[in-house]
Amino acid sequence: MPESMMQPDLQDVATLNGVQAAALARWQERGWPGAEDEAWRFTRLASLDKLSLRPADANLANGTGNLSAHALPAGAHVIRFHNGMLVANSLENMPTGISARLVDEDDLGAIVDLAPANHPVTDLSVAAMTSGLALDAVAGATVTTPIILMFTGNSGSVSTHPVVLLRVAKGAQAVIAEWHSASVGLSAPVMAIDIADNARLDYAKIQQDSATTTHLAATGIKMGEAAVLDGFQLSIGGCLARLEAHVMLAAESADCRLSAIYLGRRNQHHDITTNMTHARGHCQSNQVIRGVLDGAARGVFQGKVHVAQDAQKTDGQQMSRALLLSRKAEADAKPELEIYADDVICAHGATVGELDETQLFYLTSRGISPEVARAMLIAAFLDDAVDMIENADLSALLRPHVTAWMLAQEGSVNA
Amino acid sequence: MTPLLEIKDLHASVGDTPILKGINLTINHGEIHAIMGPNGSGKSTMSYVLSGRDGYEVTGGDVLMNGQSILEMEADERARAGMFLAFQYPVELPGVAGMSFLRAAVNARRLDKGEDEIDQLEFVKMVRAKAKDLSIDDEMLKRAVNVGFSGGEKKRYEILQMALLEPQLAVLDETDSGLDVDALKIVSEGVNMLRDANRSMLVITHYQRLLNHIVPDYVHILANGKIRRSGGKELALEVEESGYAGIDDAA
Ligand SMILES: Nc1ncnc2c1ncn2[C@@H]1O[C@H](COP(=O)(O)OP(=O)(O)O)[C@@H](O)[C@H]1O
Ligand SMILES: [Mg+2]
């Protein structure tokens, strides 16, 4: 086992076999990314050195955690994970057209195929899986009831490794949100998503873990022919968070929108890393990333768009903008285009800026307080991204978090 | 009666450069004063110093509103106390919806006075009525603040804000610049409707033309950071004829 930090105690899971044993072997071989790992250049895990964590077990499944005060969409079906453990009775009464059950060995194989490969979170969380859930939207079903995967937790000494397989079969439609509101040592969810031909997934992730939680997510998405993903990630909580999503556009005419907002203050560190692979032609991808950083927060956006030689007529767009509210805040962006086809439209850009003094003066000269003026300009800045969400329930779920963040006091707004 | 505004030997700098070099001006309630002067004489600087913009440092003198110094007040506090600046170059706010902007401004003032926030429907009605007087249509009201507005539309939108905020002192900075004859008429009529015994105005202009429409009680010539001459409305005509050349020495 390499010498690396934050090494969860894996004694209990060391007797695995099959897919999990293979994942454990890979994890033990590589461990956490080291200082030389380019993919983790902006997000170092060294500060977590001192944590000694153990994967959560069934003893911690009791208790239900607190549901956040923010309203859930009317009629939403909530599937609960507490300290990484699935709350079994939340699988009862699933909406028609979608089934939920615990993963089996075949599912685990599918998860490893879909999730980011050679990735420490994929390998560790599959090996140390606290609960595994398989969700299947059956072919042709249109499930408009939002399904909320609610992750709570209250044990700072554990790591949580929920693993979810989500398959939207041919022609099916589903609306799924991941809502992380846990206080644990490490939250390391794996999401493996397969959107089959002509299927559509509306997906949102809200990362709102406690200020002491490290959140490292590995999300893998595969899209079939003419499949649609309308996806959004909001990273707002945690002390250190990396939301890494890899998308494989595996057949023609798939349409992927995967936008994100990160909001940081104090010493928070948010990392949005995406890997968009256009393997076939005539696909579109569009990513609108907005970050707002206050205090001494740091934001990272790494976005790779890979266009394979066969992927003619690709339209790949990516735009990242960060707004710094404090002189101690810092934003890094690493957009990368790797294009091997010749007939493509691809654009990417990254900017880092501050609030415009002239705009602020215009607002305050009308009697609007500087605090409200700032909030108005920040909201305007973020709207480009928030407006990307097409599903009204997911939009309504997400917007209050953005508003609440702006209204929360920050001692160092002007620092 | 205490004058509405007293500017006393006002000196101000931008960075290390002194721009205003000892301005004295008293404006009583209900009066309209015009400030004329060549480009670069310090007219916009004076408007920013009065309205409290950061970066415009007062290095001497005082500004009193209703007998109280306002120099320690922030821009938003001055605005809520009755100061209004119509910008020479109104600022575009992409993504900020016009109606929410107008409502935020009106409510900021109401809350300050201990009143409730304005009723949404009542507000929309009020804006529509005042917008109509300025030939501002609904489509323009729906846009983001000043985004995609023509030069004339921006100026009319400034006057709409003034009409909604009902200031005690309105500083209009080159509200005539970039306007054709028709737009100038609309804007001037809008301003004239707001003339009131309790409202004073400081009308900044480069050209005499505007003062045919908004007839001032007094005219002051600003050159090189100082008021060099003051007089009645005839002074504007005189300057129009002879130009600003040589005015520096006339003080
Ligand atoms: N932000 C600024 N930084 C540096 N110099 C400025 C700034 N604003 C104005 N000035 C200078 O101050 C002087 C007066 O400018 P201004 O007040 O805009 O004049 P006016 O409005 O009469 O044309 C000019 O010489 C101008 O170059
Ligand atoms: Mg000017």
Side-chain angles (χ1 to χ4, degrees), chain A residues 82-389:
Chain A
H82 189 60
N83 290 316
M85 315 294 296
L86 184 67
V87 178
N89 67 6
S90 60
L91 300 188
E92 292 163 11
N93 300 318
M94 289 294 293
T96 312
I98 194 155
S99 71
R101 55 183 172 72
L102 296 180
V103 292
D104 59 23
E105 183 71 8
D106 288 347
D107 296 329
L108 282 172
I111 287 165
V112 168
D113 287 345
L114 287 164
N118 300 319
H119 195 281
V121 174
T122 303
D123 291 337
L124 173 61
S125 287
V126 167
M129 182 171 78
T130 43
S131 276
L133 170 69
L135 284 170
D136 280 282
V138 301
T142 299
V143 186
T144 54
T145 302
I147 294 173
I148 317 276
L149 307 179
M150 182 86 211
F151 298 84
T152 53
N154 60 357
S155 178
S157 64
V158 302
S159 59
T160 62
H161 306 275
V163 172
V164 177
L165 174 63
L166 166 60
R167 281 180 293 217
V168 188
K170 281 188 181 173
Q173 299 195 12
V175 181
I176 310 276
E178 257 183 90
W179 185 350
H180 296 265
S181 185
S183 182
V184 294
L186 169 67
S187 169
V190 172
M191 287 289 289
I193 300 175
D194 188 346
I195 311 171
D197 298 350
N198 298 304
R200 174 180 175 122
L201 175 65
D202 289 277
Y203 163 77
K205 166 165 182 160
I206 300 170
Q207 186 282 111
Q208 195 197 19
D209 285 338
S210 81
T212 53
T213 301
T214 296
H215 185 104
L216 301 175
T219 299
I221 301 168
K222 183 177 147 203
M223 300 182 64
E225 188 173 327
V228 175
L229 171 68
D230 196 68
F232 200 93
Q233 305 192 87
L234 173 64
S235 191
I236 201 165
C239 52
L240 182 151
R242 170 148 159 154
L243 278 50
E244 181 161 348
H246 293 197
V247 181
M248 169 63 70
L249 302 160
E252 292 198 342
S253 303
D255 179 5
C256 174
R257 296 179 290 273
L258 186 60
S259 293
I261 284 178
Y262 59 85
L263 303 172
R265 51 173 53 122
R266 293 183 291 275
N267 291 307
Q268 280 184 303
H269 179 114
H270 292 293
D271 176 335
I272 304 285
T273 293
T274 64
N275 208 326
M276 185 72 65
T277 301
H278 286 258
R280 293 282 178 272
H282 299 273
C283 293
Q284 297 177 34
S285 66
N286 190 10
Q287 303 176 68
V288 176
I289 315 297
R290 293 285 181 273
V292 181
L293 298 167
D294 203 348
R298 181 142 185 231
V300 176
F301 172 64
Q302 305 189 101
K304 185 189 280 183
V305 177
H306 175 97
V307 181
Q309 203 170 352
D310 285 348
Q312 302 296 357
K313 306 286 180 193
T314 286
D315 182 348
Q317 307 288 326
Q318 182 191 91
M319 182 68 206
S320 151
R321 292 176 63 199
L323 189 58
L324 305 183
L325 301 182
S326 132
R327 268 185 236 126
K328 289 195 204 122
E330 189 185 331
D332 294 293
K334 192 172 96 179
E336 277 181 280
L337 289 181
E338 281 179 0
I339 302 177
Y340 298 98
D342 44 34
D343 185 9
V344 302
I345 307 169
C346 283
H348 69 96
T351 66
V352 179
E354 294 167 17
L355 285 175
D356 184 276
E357 186 275 331
T358 308
Q359 294 181 336
L360 277 174
F361 174 59
Y362 192 69
L363 289 165
T364 54
S365 78
R366 270 50 181 148
I368 297 168
S369 72
E371 295 74 31
V372 173
R374 275 190 209 102
M376 288 172 80
L377 293 179
I378 296 168
F381 172 81
L382 293 175
D383 271 350
D384 290 349
V386 177
D387 288 348
M388 296 287 291
I389 307 169

Side-chain angles (χ1 to χ4, degrees), chain B residues 39-40 42-45 88-89 173-174 204:
Chain B
N39 283 330
K43 304 186 297 294
S44 290
T45 300
Q88 181 174 1
Y89 303 108
D173 189 2
E174 301 215 23
I204 294 173

